[in-house]
Amino acid sequence: MRTLTALAIAAATVCSLRAQMAATNPPIDWDKLRPEILERYRALVQLDTTAGHEILAVDYLKKVFDAEGIPTRTFALDPNRPNLVARLKGNGSKRPLLILAHTDVVGVQREKWPVDPFGAVMKDGYVWGRGSKDDKPVLTANLITMLMLKRLGIQLDRDVIFLAESGEEADTTGVGINYMVSEHFGEIDAEFAITEGGGARIDGTRVTRVNIGTAEKLPARVRLVATGTAGHGSVPRLDNALVHLSAAVEKVGRWETPMRLNDTTRAYFQRLILLSPPDRAAIYKALLDVKTAGPAQAYLREHAPAEYSMLRTSVVPTMMKAGVGANVIPSEAEATLDIRALPGEDIDAFYADMAKVIGDPAVRIVPLPASRPPSPASKLDTEMYRVMEQVSNTIYPDAAILPSMSTGASDQAQLRAKGIQSYGVGPASTESDTLDYPAHGDVERLAESSLYPFVRYVWNVVTEIAKHK
Ligand SMILES: [Zn+2]
């Protein structure tokens, strides 16, 4: 409820705020800045920064910052995978703002691409290339914001810290956010952060929804290991490890784990009631009432699995391994479960519940090493969240604003675990673009027309939260 009230207030104050921002923000001729935004964005997309080559982006950024007189520092656990930090100093009356983006991209299968994946080719109104969505728009917006803060000599109440980090996509050795948090946290410590993890949706020609990322689930994967007696395939045995494992996988795969809403997901579904056609709105409404939540969940499980996953800690069997020959009963069989925990889940208690569901002493639950720390959701009642709502209203008038929880995992986990209130941003896409050209997909692209409003969005958020008032 609190969020809905806040949204109503935000909507009501949009006009006065817009006037105020126009009056106090230094004038930027955004049309004139377009060629530079596009040039820098394309230059970054043209760098093949798959894991191990992040230095290419750092070299580029360092050169740009050097030319503008913005000092930088690099921090590298692996010399080919450095992280770059640039800081514009404020007067210290407020704690810093961190704006970060990752420089690495996932790999490509060149034969799947209609164009050079590192060409930043411009075709049909899109810029095509690996990283064109993930994460070079954010990297570009952060870079342009730093350059303009410096060029315009904006007085700041807070330091603005720019971080270009390596190894977000693949970081088995901890070169990126883990290294910065464990070895150089003082360089990036901040009250608030913005980074990838949000976005906006275009319907027709209009942006209708803005998602502000405020929370994410935590990977808490396990192996299920069943043991029995090895033997000849011609002799059936009651303790066959494969049979025990299969039964356990069947039980956890169908297990309806408890539904639990948090501030973010409650506000998210409340907003969806207002935005959805009547049939679907009725489902969301039913979801928010304990008496009717059961059938609503069953509907989402079948028709909207991603929304179903937002309701609970999820258990998804993803791998099975057993056996060496058609005539050999193996003594061991194992399965991997991709478990994604809600923020605040008591993982040990959850594993204990899962053991009860399995109810078979022949099957052990073996947790896999944690890839991320547990992280609380970021708050919705902060100055930063309010600014992001206001700026959303300015850049995308009449769009609905939804706090959102990612079912995936990101580097925001490490920041939130350290007490930084971190929020996800991202450029706008149509639904079909999101489905057909997703981040990490065979082919990635971003509408050029989405890039410029997104840069302005980041600029407005940063100046509104950090500039001297
Ligand atoms: Zn990313």
Side-chain angles (χ1 to χ4, degrees), residues 202-223:
I202 303 169
D203 286 303
T205 56
R206 210 170 65 80
V207 171
T208 54
R209 289 184 196 182
V210 178
N211 287 315
I212 301 176
T214 52
E216 66 183 46
K217 293 175 92 176
L218 173 72
R221 300 174 184 121
V222 301
R223 288 190 306 140

Side-chain angles (χ1 to χ4, degrees), residues 217 257 309 312-316 338-342 350:
K217 293 175 92 176
T257 57
S309 180
R312 57 189 11 91
T313 294
S314 56
V315 181
V316 177
D338 191 354
I339 296 174
R340 301 296 179 116
L342 290 173
F350 185 84

Side-chain angles (χ1 to χ4, degrees), residues 102 104 133-135 168-169 196 410 439-440:
H102 63 86
D104 58 327
K133 274 194 172 123
D134 183 10
D135 185 25
E168 195 275 341
E169 304 288 3
E196 66 175 350
S410 81
H440 299 206

